[in-house]
Amino acid sequence: MSSFPALRMRRGRSSPWMREMLAENRLHPSDFILPMFVCEGSGCEEPIASLRGVSRWSVDRLAERAREAARLGIPCVALFPNTPARLRTDDAAEALNPDNLICRGIRAIKDAVPQIGILTDVALDPYTSHGHDGLTDDRGCVVNDATVEMLVRQAVVQAAAGADIVAPSDMMDGRVGAIRSALEQDGHCDVAIMAYAAKYASAFYGPFRDAVGSKGLLKGDKRSYQMDPANGFEAIREVELDLAEGADMVMVKPGLPYLDVLARVKDTFGVPTFAYQVSGEYAMIEAAAEAGAADRDALILETLMAFKRAGATGVLTYHALDAARLING
């Protein structure tokens, strides 16, 4: 009889109950944040062609989506506006309007579903006529400090409307500290900051720009402020700075192409660390499923588990509702 090592790893995979008992990571609906796109109008649902299954919703339709998320156990929604073209200007003034799409959306959800959290995007690209995340000078270059001043005012407007988490996604230097100081001074001490600390200049953002109406507006690119995909250690420096300035949570964006960065950030700092499974990642999964390359439900759950295994506290994902339904059975 041939000898065999006493330890057989397959024993731990021998049955469903054994695999469940020994699982190192688990998915739960509370791991997810549901992004939602807001549009003008009444009673509107606008399907987004490049994001199959995702729509823009008018303010009066947001509450029903937030209510569904809360029922499934999703703790938070993230709002992104599709600002009408007539309100997009070089100075992004609509970002400071206390009655803009985002602020109306916050109030509508808070009135109808007060138990759910609301995260808002702090950046100017949904409001600028040139598609950049900040203000530009005569040469078309994004200027840091003047942009930070606008972002501070934008964050305070969103907090006053009822946002629970403000999430600066612009990648300007020093904006987290300036926003934290302004929130404290304005009495919004309990409003958290989730900093897009490691946001890369990625090719995976295309469908999102379609969703918020900035596709085709961008003049140039965003490589002077978003991170170079070649760099990993630089992300650690960015996260360290944002935490020192008062960020409560940090984000790595995109998700799957940067799992190494996500793991490194979580291992280094041990702080709440989120991943954004961005629009291009979502579109790839949908395209693979539609082509018959793999089972859609299995793709959704396996990719989300990858984030958890890498150390993510939670994931912003357009698959949040589907994933929560699958987990809840």
Side-chain angles (χ1 to χ4, degrees):
M1 184 175 181
S2 62
S3 63
F4 197 90
L7 177 62
R8 294 176 182 259
M9 293 299 291
R10 286 182 59 187
R11 292 189 194 112
R13 311 165 194 149
S14 59
S15 61
W17 68 262
M18 182 71 79
R19 293 191 294 272
E20 178 69 17
M21 184 172 70
L22 299 183
E24 297 176 18
N25 295 282
R26 301 178 191 278
L27 288 173
H28 188 272
S30 62
D31 294 325
F32 310 134
I33 296 174
L34 173 66
M36 295 196 297
F37 297 104
V38 192
C39 64
E40 284 283 8
S42 177
C44 295
E45 177 185 357
E46 299 176 356
I48 302 165
S50 55
L51 282 173
R52 189 169 70 90
V54 179
S55 297
R56 305 180 195 91
W57 302 87
S58 54
V59 170
D60 60 315
R61 298 287 304 277
L62 290 178
E64 63 188 85
R65 302 294 286 174
R67 191 176 290 110
E68 181 181 12
R71 179 180 60 79
L72 289 168
I74 295 169
C76 185
V77 297
L79 300 183
F80 300 92
N82 181 4
T83 304
R86 70 181 187 280
L87 298 176
R88 295 173 187 257
T89 58
D90 286 352
D91 63 0
E94 181 65 8
L96 308 183
N97 180 1
D99 202 35
N100 63 23
L101 280 173
I102 288 298
C103 293
R104 281 184 280 144
I106 294 168
R107 292 192 290 267
I109 292 172
K110 282 298 182 184
D111 287 345
V113 198
Q115 71 271 25
I116 202 164
I118 299 178
L119 179 151
T120 54
D121 181 48
V122 180
L124 303 184
D125 53 322
Y127 306 98
T128 56
S129 55
H130 45 68
H132 277 290
D133 295 35
L135 304 179
T136 58
D137 61 18
D138 294 340
R139 300 171 297 159
C141 298
V142 173
V143 291
N144 193 92
D145 295 1
T147 296
V148 168
E149 292 178 11
M150 283 288 291
L151 297 172
V152 166
R153 296 168 65 189
Q154 181 186 23
V156 171
V157 165
Q158 293 174 350
D164 300 292
I165 304 172
V166 293
S169 65
D170 55 285
M171 291 299 288
M172 297 297 116
D173 292 327
R175 88 278 203 215
V176 172
I179 290 170
R180 182 76 274 163
S181 178
L183 290 174
E184 296 287 328
Q185 292 175 14
D186 214 57
H188 302 297
C189 302
D190 293 331
V191 174
I193 296 176
M194 180 189 292
Y196 285 60
K199 180 178 180 180
Y200 284 84
S202 172
F204 284 88
Y205 301 148
F208 176 89
R209 291 171 184 165
D210 186 21
V212 298
S214 62
K215 184 177 180 180
L217 294 180
L218 183 62
K219 298 177 175 62
D221 58 47
K222 302 188 178 187
R223 294 181 182 275
S224 71
Y225 47 100
Q226 294 179 356
M227 284 185 57
D228 185 343
N231 294 350
F233 287 109
E234 183 184 0
I236 301 301
R237 297 179 65 194
E238 288 280 10
V239 171
E240 185 174 25
L241 287 167
D242 284 355
L243 291 173
E245 291 178 19
D248 302 283
M249 300 162 262
V250 296
M251 184 194 294
V252 175
K253 179 184 178 182
L256 285 176
Y258 298 91
L259 289 178
D260 61 318
V261 176
L262 171 64
R264 195 181 298 177
V265 168
K266 189 59 179 286
D267 289 346
T268 301
F269 299 103
V271 298
T273 305
F274 288 76
Y276 196 148
Q277 188 181 38
V278 299
S279 58
E281 297 173 64
Y282 173 93
M284 285 197 308
I285 291 171
E286 293 298 316
E290 187 174 13
D295 178 76
R296 180 176 182 270
D297 292 350
L299 284 172
I300 290 171
L301 294 180
E302 187 174 345
T303 53
L304 292 173
M305 184 60 79
F307 294 119
K308 291 293 289 184
R309 195 175 61 249
T313 305
V315 186
L316 279 78
T317 173
Y318 305 102
H319 281 129
L321 294 176
D322 288 331
R325 293 188 193 102
L326 290 169
I327 292 165
N328 290 334

